[in-house]
Amino acid sequence: MIRSVLFAVAIASAVPAMASPARVNDPVAVVDAFAAAQQSFDQAALAELTAPDFVEISPLGEVDPRDKMLGFYAPEKKAAGPAVTMDERTVRTTGNVAIVTLRYAFGERAMRAVYVVRRDAGVWRLVSAQYTPIRIVKPA
C-alpha cells in the first residue's frame, strides 16, 4: 500500500497545471489533464475527466473503481512527492477509443502506465488506467 501511495504522489508531481477539463478535446490532453489533476488533488477535475465506469489498476494490482480513486485524491491527503518525468509516450486511436501508454520515472524507479480513453457524445474521458512497475535490474 505504501508503494502505491508513493507512486500516486510521484506521478501527481509529473506535469504542470493544465487547462480546464471541459476544454480537453483529445486523448493525450485528457491524460495530461488527468495527471495535472492528480498533482493538484483536484477531485472535481478528476471526476470530469473520468467516465462513471472508470477503473484503475494500481502498481500493486489492486482494482480501484472511480469512487475509490477519487477518495484517494481528497485535498486533505495531498503530500509532496519526488520529481517525476513522463516520456516514451505512444498513442493508438481506433474510432472512439484511444490507448495512451507512457513511462513515469522518479529517482531510480519507473513505471509504465496504460490509459484507455473513450469518446462519448464528442467528449474524451478516461475509462481505465493501469500502472505497472518497471523492475530494477541490478548488475550481477
Side-chain angles (χ1 to χ4, degrees):
M1 177 67 173
I2 293 295
R3 276 191 261 171
S4 182
V5 170
L6 288 175
F7 172 69
V9 170
I11 64 168
S13 304
V15 295
M18 296 293 294
S20 164
R23 291 185 261 156
V24 175
N25 61 1
D26 71 74
V28 172
V30 169
V31 169
D32 289 344
F34 181 76
Q38 288 175 312
Q39 176 183 359
S40 61
F41 279 60
D42 184 344
Q43 286 180 312
L46 291 167
E48 190 173 339
L49 290 162
T50 55
D53 58 344
F54 174 84
V55 173
E56 176 180 273
I57 309 215
S58 80
L60 298 178
E62 297 169 351
V63 178
D64 298 332
R66 183 174 184 248
D67 288 343
K68 184 174 179 184
M69 178 275 298
L70 290 172
F72 180 85
Y73 290 100
E76 65 273 9
K77 294 180 180 179
K78 187 175 182 178
V84 176
T85 59
M86 295 166 54
D87 59 15
E88 299 181 18
R89 188 184 306 243
T90 64
V91 181
R92 299 179 318 259
T93 304
T94 303
N96 288 333
V97 175
I99 310 295
V100 178
T101 62
L102 57 91
R103 178 179 166 271
Y104 288 104
F106 43 100
E108 292 183 14
R109 297 178 183 263
M111 297 250 177
R112 297 271 179 216
V114 178
Y115 298 97
V116 179
V117 190
R118 179 180 65 213
R119 184 175 50 211
D120 288 320
V123 178
W124 289 98
R125 287 199 173 84
L126 284 162
V127 293
S128 181
Q130 179 167 349
Y131 305 101
T132 304
I134 297 172
R135 186 177 60 179
I136 299 171
V137 179
K138 297 184 181 188

